[in-house]
Coordinates of all heavy atoms in Angstrom, one line a residue:
M1 N 35.3 46.1 19.6 CA 36.0 44.8 19.2 C 35.2 43.6 19.7 O 35.0 42.7 19.0 CB 37.4 44.8 19.7 CG 38.2 43.6 19.3 SD 38.5 43.6 17.6 CE 39.5 42.2 17.4
K2 N 34.7 43.7 20.9 CA 34.0 42.5 21.5 C 32.7 42.3 20.8 O 32.3 41.2 20.6 CB 33.8 42.8 23.0 CG 35.0 42.6 23.8 CD 34.7 42.7 25.3 CE 36.0 42.5 26.1 NZ 35.7 42.6 27.5
I3 N 32.1 43.4 20.4 CA 30.8 43.3 19.7 C 31.0 42.6 18.4 O 30.1 41.8 17.9 CB 30.1 44.7 19.5 CG1 28.6 44.5 19.1 CG2 30.8 45.5 18.6 CD1 27.7 44.0 20.1
H4 N 32.1 42.9 17.7 CA 32.4 42.2 16.4 C 32.6 40.7 16.6 O 32.1 39.9 15.8 CB 33.6 42.8 15.7 CG 33.4 44.2 15.3 ND1 32.5 44.6 14.2 CD2 33.9 45.4 15.7 CE1 32.5 45.9 14.1 NE2 33.3 46.4 15.0
L5 N 33.3 40.4 17.6 CA 33.5 38.9 17.9 C 32.2 38.2 18.3 O 31.9 37.1 17.8 CB 34.5 38.8 19.1 CG 35.9 39.1 18.7 CD1 36.8 39.0 20.0 CD2 36.5 38.2 17.6
F6 N 31.3 39.0 19.0 CA 30.0 38.4 19.3 C 29.2 38.2 18.1 O 28.6 37.1 17.9 CB 29.3 39.3 20.3 CG 27.9 38.9 20.6 CD1 27.7 37.8 21.5 CD2 26.8 39.5 20.0 CE1 26.4 37.4 21.7 CE2 25.5 39.1 20.3 CZ 25.3 38.0 21.1
I7 N 29.2 39.1 17.2 CA 28.4 39.0 15.9 C 29.0 37.9 15.1 O 28.2 37.1 14.5 CB 28.4 40.4 15.2 CG1 27.6 41.4 16.0 CG2 27.9 40.2 13.8 CD1 27.7 42.8 15.4
V8 N 30.2 37.8 15.0 CA 30.8 36.7 14.2 C 30.5 35.3 14.8 O 30.1 34.4 14.1 CB 32.4 36.8 14.1 CG1 33.0 35.6 13.6 CG2 32.7 38.0 13.3
H9 N 30.6 35.2 16.1 CA 30.2 34.0 16.8 C 28.7 33.7 16.6 O 28.4 32.5 16.3 CB 30.5 34.1 18.3 CG 30.1 32.9 19.1 ND1 30.9 31.7 19.0 CD2 29.1 32.7 20.0 CE1 30.3 30.8 19.8 NE2 29.3 31.4 20.4
L10 N 27.9 34.6 16.7 CA 26.4 34.4 16.5 C 26.2 34.0 15.1 O 25.4 33.0 14.8 CB 25.7 35.7 16.8 CG 24.2 35.7 16.7 CD1 23.6 34.7 17.7 CD2 23.6 37.0 16.9
L11 N 26.8 34.5 14.1 CA 26.7 34.1 12.7 C 27.1 32.7 12.5 O 26.5 31.9 11.8 CB 27.4 35.1 11.8 CG 26.8 36.4 11.6 CD1 27.7 37.3 10.8 CD2 25.4 36.3 10.9
L12 N 28.2 32.3 13.1 CA 28.7 30.9 13.0 C 27.8 29.9 13.6 O 27.5 28.9 13.0 CB 30.1 30.8 13.6 CG 31.3 31.4 12.9 CD1 32.5 31.4 13.7 CD2 31.5 30.8 11.5
V13 N 27.2 30.3 14.7 CA 26.2 29.4 15.3 C 25.0 29.3 14.4 O 24.5 28.1 14.2 CB 25.8 30.0 16.7 CG1 24.6 29.2 17.3 CG2 27.0 29.8 17.7
C14 N 24.5 30.3 13.8 CA 23.4 30.3 12.9 C 23.7 29.5 11.7 O 22.8 28.6 11.3 CB 22.9 31.7 12.5 SG 22.2 32.6 13.9
I15 N 24.8 29.7 11.1 CA 25.2 28.9 9.9 C 25.3 27.4 10.2 O 24.8 26.6 9.5 CB 26.5 29.5 9.3 CG1 26.2 30.9 8.7 CG2 27.0 28.5 8.2 CD1 27.5 31.6 8.3
T16 N 25.9 27.1 11.3 CA 26.1 25.7 11.7 C 24.7 25.1 11.9 O 24.5 23.9 11.5 CB 26.9 25.6 13.0 OG1 28.2 26.2 12.7 CG2 27.2 24.1 13.3
G17 N 23.8 25.8 12.6 CA 22.5 25.3 12.9 C 21.7 25.0 11.6 O 21.1 24.0 11.4
C18 N 21.8 25.9 10.6 CA 21.1 25.8 9.3 C 21.7 24.6 8.5 O 21.0 23.9 7.9 CB 21.2 27.0 8.5 SG 20.2 28.4 9.3
A19 N 23.0 24.5 8.6 CA 23.7 23.4 7.8 C 23.3 22.0 8.4 O 23.2 21.1 7.6 CB 25.2 23.6 7.9
S20 N 23.0 22.0 9.6 CA 22.7 20.7 10.2 C 21.4 20.1 9.7 O 21.1 19.0 9.8 CB 22.7 20.7 11.7 OG 21.6 21.5 12.2
L21 N 20.5 21.0 9.2 CA 19.2 20.6 8.6 C 19.4 19.8 7.3 O 18.6 19.0 6.9 CB 18.3 21.8 8.3 CG 17.9 22.6 9.5 CD1 17.2 23.9 9.1 CD2 17.0 21.8 10.5
Y22 N 20.6 20.0 6.7 CA 20.8 19.4 5.4 C 21.8 18.2 5.4 O 22.2 17.8 4.4 CB 21.2 20.4 4.4 CG 20.2 21.5 4.2 CD1 20.3 22.7 4.8 CD2 19.0 21.2 3.4 CE1 19.3 23.7 4.6 CE2 18.0 22.1 3.3 CZ 18.1 23.4 3.9 OH 17.2 24.3 3.7
I23 N 22.2 17.8 6.6 CA 23.1 16.7 6.7 C 22.5 15.4 6.2 O 21.3 15.2 6.5 CB 23.6 16.5 8.2 CG1 24.5 17.7 8.6 CG2 24.4 15.2 8.3 CD1 24.8 17.7 10.0
N24 N 23.2 14.7 5.4 CA 22.6 13.5 4.8 C 22.4 12.5 6.0 O 23.3 12.3 6.8 CB 23.6 12.8 3.8 CG 23.6 13.6 2.6 OD1 22.7 14.3 2.2 ND2 24.7 13.5 1.8
R25 N 21.2 11.9 6.0 CA 20.9 10.9 7.0 C 21.2 9.6 6.4 O 21.1 9.3 5.2 CB 19.4 11.0 7.4 CG 19.1 12.3 8.1 CD 17.6 12.3 8.4 NE 17.3 13.4 9.3 CZ 17.1 14.6 9.0 NH1 17.2 15.0 7.8 NH2 16.8 15.5 9.9
E26 N 21.6 8.6 7.3 CA 21.8 7.3 6.9 C 20.5 6.6 6.5 O 19.5 6.7 7.3 CB 22.5 6.5 8.0 CG 23.9 6.9 8.2 CD 24.8 6.5 7.1 OE1 24.7 5.4 6.5 OE2 25.7 7.3 6.7
P27 N 20.4 6.0 5.4 CA 19.2 5.2 5.1 C 18.9 4.1 6.0 O 19.9 3.6 6.6 CB 19.4 4.7 3.7 CG 20.8 4.8 3.4 CD 21.4 5.8 4.3
L28 N 17.7 3.8 6.3 CA 17.3 2.7 7.2 C 17.1 1.4 6.4 O 16.2 1.3 5.6 CB 16.0 3.1 7.9 CG 15.6 2.2 9.0 CD1 16.6 2.3 10.2 CD2 14.2 2.7 9.6
P29 N 18.0 0.5 6.5 CA 17.9 -0.8 5.7 C 16.6 -1.5 6.0 O 16.1 -1.4 7.1 CB 19.1 -1.6 6.2 CG 20.1 -0.6 6.9 CD 19.2 0.5 7.4
I30 N 16.1 -2.2 5.0 CA 14.8 -2.9 5.1 C 14.9 -3.9 6.2 O 14.0 -4.2 7.0 CB 14.4 -3.5 3.8 CG1 12.9 -3.8 3.8 CG2 15.2 -4.6 3.4 CD1 12.0 -2.6 3.7
A31 N 16.1 -4.6 6.4 CA 16.3 -5.5 7.5 C 16.1 -4.9 8.9 O 15.6 -5.5 9.8 CB 17.6 -6.2 7.4
E32 N 16.5 -3.7 9.0 CA 16.4 -2.9 10.2 C 14.9 -2.6 10.5 O 14.4 -2.7 11.6 CB 17.2 -1.6 10.2 CG 17.2 -0.9 11.5 CD 17.9 -1.6 12.6 OE1 18.6 -2.6 12.4 OE2 17.6 -1.2 13.8
V33 N 14.1 -2.4 9.5 CA 12.7 -2.1 9.6 C 12.0 -3.4 10.1 O 11.2 -3.4 11.0 CB 12.0 -1.7 8.3 CG1 10.5 -1.6 8.4 CG2 12.6 -0.4 7.8
V34 N 12.4 -4.6 9.6 CA 11.9 -5.8 10.1 C 12.3 -6.0 11.6 O 11.4 -6.4 12.4 CB 12.4 -7.0 9.2 CG1 12.0 -8.3 9.8 CG2 11.9 -6.9 7.8
N35 N 13.5 -5.8 11.9 CA 13.9 -6.0 13.3 C 13.2 -5.0 14.2 O 12.8 -5.4 15.3 CB 15.4 -5.8 13.4 CG 16.2 -6.9 12.8 OD1 15.7 -8.0 12.7 ND2 17.4 -6.6 12.4
L36 N 13.1 -3.8 13.8 CA 12.4 -2.8 14.6 C 10.9 -3.2 14.8 O 10.4 -3.0 15.9 CB 12.5 -1.4 14.0 CG 13.8 -0.7 14.1 CD1 13.8 0.6 13.2 CD2 14.2 -0.4 15.5
S37 N 10.3 -3.7 13.8 CA 8.9 -4.1 13.8 C 8.7 -5.2 14.9 O 7.6 -5.3 15.4 CB 8.4 -4.5 12.5 OG 8.4 -3.4 11.6
K38 N 9.7 -6.0 15.1 CA 9.5 -7.1 16.0 C 9.7 -6.6 17.5 O 9.3 -7.2 18.4 CB 10.6 -8.2 15.7 CG 10.3 -8.9 14.4 CD 11.3 -9.9 14.1 CE 11.1 -10.6 12.8 NZ 12.1 -11.6 12.4
A39 N 10.4 -5.5 17.6 CA 10.8 -5.0 19.0 C 10.1 -3.8 19.4 O 10.1 -3.5 20.6 CB 12.3 -4.8 19.0
Q40 N 9.5 -3.0 18.5 CA 9.0 -1.7 18.9 C 7.6 -1.6 18.4 O 7.1 -2.3 17.5 CB 9.9 -0.6 18.3 CG 11.3 -0.6 18.9 CD 12.1 0.6 18.4 OE1 11.6 1.5 17.7 NE2 13.3 0.6 18.7
S41 N 6.9 -0.6 18.9 CA 5.5 -0.3 18.4 C 5.6 0.2 17.0 O 6.6 0.7 16.5 CB 4.9 0.7 19.3 OG 5.4 2.0 19.1
D42 N 4.4 0.1 16.3 CA 4.3 0.6 14.9 C 4.6 2.1 14.8 O 5.3 2.5 13.9 CB 2.9 0.3 14.4 CG 2.6 -1.1 14.2 OD1 3.5 -2.0 14.2 OD2 1.4 -1.5 14.1
Q43 N 4.2 2.8 15.8 CA 4.4 4.3 15.8 C 5.9 4.6 15.9 O 6.4 5.5 15.3 CB 3.6 4.9 16.9 CG 3.6 6.5 16.8 CD 3.0 6.9 15.5 OE1 2.0 6.3 14.9 NE2 3.5 8.0 14.9
D44 N 6.6 3.8 16.7 CA 8.0 4.0 16.9 C 8.8 3.7 15.6 O 9.7 4.4 15.2 CB 8.6 3.2 18.0 CG 8.2 3.7 19.4 OD1 7.8 4.8 19.5 OD2 8.3 2.9 20.3
V45 N 8.4 2.6 14.9 CA 9.0 2.3 13.6 C 8.7 3.3 12.6 O 9.6 3.8 11.9 CB 8.5 0.9 13.2 CG1 9.1 0.6 11.8 CG2 8.8 -0.2 14.2
I46 N 7.5 3.8 12.6 CA 7.1 4.9 11.6 C 7.9 6.2 11.9 O 8.4 6.8 11.0 CB 5.6 5.2 11.7 CG1 4.9 4.0 11.0 CG2 5.3 6.5 11.0 CD1 3.4 4.0 11.2
Q47 N 8.1 6.5 13.2 CA 9.0 7.7 13.5 C 10.4 7.5 13.0 O 11.0 8.4 12.5 CB 8.9 7.9 15.0 CG 7.6 8.5 15.5 CD 7.5 8.7 17.0 OE1 8.4 8.2 17.7 NE2 6.5 9.4 17.4
R48 N 10.9 6.3 13.2 CA 12.3 6.0 12.7 C 12.4 6.2 11.2 O 13.3 6.8 10.6 CB 12.8 4.7 13.1 CG 13.2 4.5 14.6 CD 14.5 5.2 14.9 NE 15.7 4.7 14.1 CZ 16.4 3.6 14.3 NH1 16.1 2.8 15.4 NH2 17.4 3.3 13.5
L49 N 11.4 5.6 10.5 CA 11.4 5.7 9.0 C 11.3 7.2 8.6 O 12.0 7.6 7.7 CB 10.2 4.9 8.5 CG 10.3 3.4 8.4 CD1 8.9 2.8 8.2 CD2 11.3 3.0 7.3
S50 N 10.4 7.9 9.3 CA 10.2 9.3 8.9 C 11.5 10.1 9.2 O 11.9 10.9 8.4 CB 9.1 9.9 9.8 OG 8.8 11.2 9.5
A51 N 12.1 9.9 10.3 CA 13.4 10.6 10.7 C 14.5 10.3 9.7 O 15.3 11.1 9.4 CB 13.8 10.2 12.1
S52 N 14.5 9.0 9.2 CA 15.6 8.7 8.3 C 15.4 9.2 6.8 O 16.3 9.2 6.0 CB 15.8 7.1 8.2 OG 14.7 6.5 7.5
R53 N 14.1 9.5 6.6 CA 13.7 10.0 5.2 C 14.0 8.9 4.2 O 14.3 9.3 3.0 CB 14.3 11.3 4.9 CG 13.9 12.4 5.8 CD 14.4 13.7 5.4 NE 14.0 14.8 6.3 CZ 14.5 16.0 6.3 NH1 15.5 16.3 5.4 NH2 14.1 16.9 7.2
T54 N 13.9 7.7 4.5 CA 14.2 6.6 3.6 C 12.9 6.3 2.9 O 11.9 6.1 3.6 CB 14.7 5.4 4.3 OG1 15.9 5.7 5.1 CG2 15.1 4.3 3.4
T55 N 13.0 6.1 1.6 CA 11.8 5.6 0.8 C 12.2 4.3 0.2 O 13.4 4.1 -0.1 CB 11.3 6.6 -0.2 OG1 12.4 6.9 -1.1 CG2 10.7 7.8 0.4
Y56 N 11.2 3.4 0.0 CA 11.5 2.1 -0.6 C 10.6 1.9 -1.8 O 9.4 2.1 -1.7 CB 11.1 1.0 0.5 CG 11.9 1.2 1.8 CD1 11.3 1.9 2.8 CD2 13.2 0.7 2.0 CE1 12.0 2.1 4.0 CE2 13.8 0.8 3.2 CZ 13.2 1.5 4.2 OH 13.9 1.7 5.4
A57 N 11.2 1.5 -2.9 CA 10.4 1.2 -4.1 C 10.1 -0.3 -4.0 O 10.7 -1.2 -4.6 CB 11.2 1.5 -5.3
L58 N 9.1 -0.6 -3.3 CA 8.7 -2.0 -3.0 C 7.7 -2.5 -4.1 O 6.9 -1.8 -4.6 CB 8.0 -2.2 -1.7 CG 8.9 -1.8 -0.5 CD1 8.0 -1.8 0.8 CD2 10.0 -2.7 -0.3
R59 N 7.9 -3.8 -4.5 CA 7.0 -4.4 -5.4 C 5.8 -5.0 -4.6 O 5.9 -5.1 -3.4 CB 7.7 -5.5 -6.2 CG 8.8 -5.0 -7.1 CD 9.6 -6.1 -7.6 NE 10.3 -6.7 -6.4 CZ 11.3 -7.5 -6.5 NH1 11.8 -7.8 -7.7 NH2 11.9 -8.0 -5.4
G60 N 4.8 -5.3 -5.2 CA 3.6 -5.9 -4.6 C 3.9 -7.1 -3.7 O 3.5 -7.2 -2.6
S61 N 4.8 -8.0 -4.3 CA 5.1 -9.2 -3.5 C 6.0 -8.9 -2.3 O 6.0 -9.7 -1.3 CB 5.9 -10.2 -4.5 OG 7.1 -9.5 -5.0
D62 N 6.7 -7.8 -2.3 CA 7.5 -7.4 -1.2 C 6.7 -7.1 0.1 O 7.1 -7.4 1.2 CB 8.4 -6.2 -1.5 CG 9.4 -6.4 -2.6 OD1 9.9 -7.6 -2.7 OD2 9.8 -5.5 -3.3
F63 N 5.5 -6.6 -0.2 CA 4.6 -6.3 1.0 C 4.2 -7.5 1.7 O 4.2 -7.6 2.9 CB 3.4 -5.4 0.5 CG 3.8 -4.0 0.2 CD1 4.0 -3.6 -1.1 CD2 3.9 -3.1 1.2 CE1 4.3 -2.3 -1.4 CE2 4.2 -1.8 0.9 CZ 4.4 -1.4 -0.4
G64 N 3.9 -8.6 0.9 CA 3.5 -9.9 1.5 C 4.7 -10.5 2.3 O 4.5 -11.0 3.4
K65 N 5.9 -10.4 1.7 CA 7.0 -11.0 2.4 C 7.3 -10.2 3.7 O 7.7 -10.8 4.7 CB 8.3 -10.9 1.4 CG 8.2 -11.8 0.3 CD 9.3 -11.6 -0.7 CE 9.1 -12.4 -2.0 NZ 10.1 -12.1 -3.0
L66 N 7.2 -8.9 3.6 CA 7.5 -8.1 4.8 C 6.5 -8.4 5.9 O 6.8 -8.5 7.1 CB 7.6 -6.6 4.5 CG 8.8 -6.2 3.7 CD1 8.6 -4.7 3.2 CD2 10.0 -6.3 4.6
K67 N 5.2 -8.5 5.5 CA 4.1 -8.8 6.5 C 4.4 -10.2 7.1 O 4.3 -10.3 8.3 CB 2.8 -8.8 5.8 CG 1.6 -9.0 6.8 CD 0.3 -8.6 6.1 CE -0.8 -8.7 7.1 NZ -0.9 -7.7 8.1
A68 N 4.9 -11.2 6.3 CA 5.2 -12.5 6.8 C 6.3 -12.4 7.8 O 6.4 -13.3 8.7 CB 5.5 -13.5 5.7
L69 N 7.2 -11.5 7.6 CA 8.4 -11.3 8.5 C 8.0 -10.5 9.8 O 8.9 -10.3 10.6 CB 9.5 -10.6 7.8 CG 10.2 -11.5 6.7 CD1 11.2 -10.7 5.9 CD2 10.9 -12.7 7.3
G70 N 6.8 -10.0 9.9 CA 6.4 -9.4 11.1 C 6.2 -7.8 11.0 O 5.9 -7.2 12.0
V71 N 6.3 -7.3 9.8 CA 6.0 -5.8 9.7 C 4.5 -5.6 9.6 O 3.9 -6.3 8.7 CB 6.8 -5.3 8.4 CG1 6.5 -3.8 8.3 CG2 8.2 -5.6 8.5
H72 N 4.0 -4.8 10.4 CA 2.6 -4.6 10.5 C 2.0 -3.6 9.5 O 2.8 -2.8 8.9 CB 2.2 -4.1 11.9 CG 2.6 -5.1 13.0 ND1 3.3 -4.7 14.1 CD2 2.4 -6.4 13.1 CE1 3.5 -5.8 14.9 NE2 2.9 -6.8 14.3
D73 N 0.7 -3.7 9.2 CA 0.1 -2.9 8.2 C 0.3 -1.4 8.3 O 0.6 -0.8 7.2 CB -1.4 -3.2 8.2 CG -1.8 -4.6 7.6 OD1 -0.9 -5.2 6.9 OD2 -2.9 -5.1 7.9
P74 N 0.3 -0.8 9.5 CA 0.5 0.6 9.5 C 1.9 1.0 9.0 O 2.1 2.1 8.4 CB 0.3 1.0 11.0 CG -0.6 0.0 11.5 CD -0.2 -1.3 10.8
V75 N 2.9 0.2 9.3 CA 4.2 0.5 8.8 C 4.3 0.3 7.3 O 4.9 1.1 6.6 CB 5.3 -0.4 9.6 CG1 6.7 -0.2 9.0 CG2 5.2 -0.2 11.1
L76 N 3.7 -0.8 6.8 CA 3.7 -1.0 5.4 C 3.0 0.1 4.7 O 3.4 0.6 3.6 CB 3.0 -2.4 5.1 CG 3.8 -3.6 5.6 CD1 2.9 -4.8 5.4 CD2 5.1 -3.8 4.9
D77 N 1.9 0.5 5.2 CA 1.1 1.7 4.6 C 2.0 2.9 4.6 O 2.0 3.7 3.6 CB -0.2 2.0 5.4 CG -1.2 0.8 5.2 OD1 -1.0 0.0 4.3 OD2 -2.1 0.8 6.1
F78 N 2.7 3.2 5.7 CA 3.6 4.4 5.7 C 4.7 4.2 4.7 O 5.0 5.2 4.0 CB 4.2 4.5 7.1 CG 5.1 5.7 7.2 CD1 4.6 7.0 7.4 CD2 6.5 5.6 7.0 CE1 5.4 8.1 7.4 CE2 7.3 6.7 7.0 CZ 6.8 8.0 7.3
M79 N 5.3 3.1 4.5 CA 6.4 2.9 3.6 C 5.8 3.1 2.1 O 6.5 3.8 1.4 CB 6.9 1.5 3.7 CG 7.7 1.2 5.0 SD 8.1 -0.5 5.3 CE 9.4 -0.7 4.1
Q80 N 4.7 2.7 1.8 CA 4.1 2.9 0.5 C 3.8 4.4 0.3 O 4.1 5.0 -0.7 CB 2.8 2.1 0.3 CG 2.3 2.3 -1.1 CD 1.0 1.5 -1.3 OE1 0.2 1.2 -0.4 NE2 0.7 1.1 -2.5
Q81 N 3.1 5.0 1.3 CA 2.7 6.4 1.2 C 4.0 7.3 1.1 O 3.9 8.3 0.4 CB 1.8 6.8 2.4 CG 1.2 8.2 2.2 CD 0.4 8.3 0.9 OE1 -0.4 7.4 0.6 NE2 0.6 9.4 0.2
S82 N 5.0 7.0 1.8 CA 6.2 7.8 1.7 C 6.8 7.8 0.3 O 7.3 8.9 -0.2 CB 7.3 7.4 2.8 OG 7.8 6.1 2.5
L83 N 6.8 6.7 -0.4 CA 7.2 6.6 -1.8 C 6.3 7.5 -2.7 O 6.8 8.2 -3.5 CB 7.3 5.2 -2.3 CG 7.7 5.1 -3.7 CD1 9.2 5.6 -3.9 CD2 7.6 3.7 -4.2
V84 N 5.0 7.3 -2.4 CA 4.1 8.1 -3.2 C 4.3 9.6 -3.0 O 4.3 10.4 -4.0 CB 2.6 7.7 -2.9 CG1 1.6 8.7 -3.5 CG2 2.3 6.3 -3.3
A85 N 4.5 10.0 -1.8 CA 4.7 11.4 -1.5 C 6.0 11.9 -2.1 O 6.1 13.0 -2.6 CB 4.7 11.7 0.0
E86 N 7.1 11.1 -2.1 CA 8.4 11.4 -2.6 C 8.2 11.6 -4.1 O 8.8 12.6 -4.7 CB 9.4 10.4 -2.3 CG 10.8 10.6 -2.8 CD 11.5 11.7 -2.0 OE1 11.1 12.0 -0.9 OE2 12.5 12.2 -2.5
M87 N 7.6 10.7 -4.8 CA 7.4 10.8 -6.2 C 6.5 12.0 -6.6 O 6.8 12.7 -7.6 CB 6.7 9.5 -6.8 CG 7.6 8.2 -6.6 SD 9.2 8.4 -7.3 CE 8.9 8.4 -9.0
D88 N 5.5 12.3 -5.8 CA 4.7 13.5 -6.1 C 5.6 14.7 -6.0 O 5.5 15.6 -6.8 CB 3.6 13.5 -5.1 CG 2.6 14.7 -5.3 OD1 2.2 14.9 -6.5 OD2 2.3 15.4 -4.4
L89 N 6.4 14.8 -5.0 CA 7.3 15.9 -4.8 C 8.3 16.1 -5.9 O 8.5 17.2 -6.4 CB 8.1 15.8 -3.5 CG 9.0 17.0 -3.1 CD1 8.1 18.2 -2.8 CD2 9.8 16.6 -1.8
L90 N 8.8 15.0 -6.4 CA 9.8 15.0 -7.5 C 9.2 15.4 -8.8 O 9.8 16.0 -9.7 CB 10.5 13.7 -7.6 CG 11.5 13.3 -6.5 CD1 11.9 11.8 -6.7 CD2 12.6 14.2 -6.5
T91 N 7.9 15.1 -9.0 CA 7.3 15.4 -10.3 C 6.6 16.7 -10.4 O 6.1 17.1 -11.4 CB 6.2 14.3 -10.7 OG1 5.3 14.2 -9.6 CG2 6.9 12.9 -10.9
R92 N 6.6 17.5 -9.3 CA 6.0 18.8 -9.3 C 6.9 19.8 -9.8 O 8.1 19.8 -9.8 CB 5.6 19.2 -7.9 CG 4.3 18.5 -7.4 CD 3.9 18.9 -6.1 NE 2.7 18.1 -5.7 CZ 1.7 18.6 -5.1 NH1 1.7 19.9 -4.8 NH2 0.7 17.9 -4.8

């Protein structure tokens, strides 16, 4: 009887762990990217963007505006590349 309870408990832990991989993450608002860029390193901002899995369909003029607001080139490059990667994944 104890072995059955142990197996059930183990299965529940495994299922819960797997389900947590698919929990919807909150998107990172563009205003937050600007604020983070002013307060943190480019690598930290990129890690937050990556963790949020947020992609932005930015227009060419948006990149200039974001740069003027303090978002650095590596972050802008990551934002563009993440959209390209997402579109590539969707079209495959």
Side-chain angles (χ1 to χ4, degrees):
M1 180 70 174
K2 286 184 180 183
I3 191 75
H4 293 290
L5 288 175
F6 174 75
I7 292 172
V8 168
H9 179 71
L10 183 62
L11 287 173
L12 287 173
V13 168
C14 290
I15 291 170
T16 304
C18 293
S20 68
L21 295 174
Y22 298 102
I23 293 174
N24 290 336
R25 291 178 170 83
E26 288 292 319
L28 190 62
I30 198 76
E32 184 67 16
V33 174
V34 173
N35 290 335
L36 289 171
S37 293
K38 293 177 182 177
Q40 297 183 7
S41 72
D42 294 341
Q43 193 59 34
D44 289 341
V45 177
I46 289 169
Q47 285 177 350
R48 284 286 304 275
L49 283 167
S50 182
S52 74
R53 296 185 183 168
T54 305
T55 55
Y56 306 92
L58 300 172
R59 296 170 294 198
S61 60
D62 294 332
F63 287 97
K65 292 173 187 173
L66 289 171
K67 186 164 180 76
L69 291 171
V71 180
H72 300 129
D73 289 340
V75 176
L76 294 171
D77 292 343
F78 180 83
M79 292 170 75
Q80 182 182 30
Q81 189 56 45
S82 65
L83 178 64
V84 170
E86 181 76 18
M87 296 306 292
D88 184 49
L89 183 66
L90 289 172
T91 57
R92 286 184 183 219

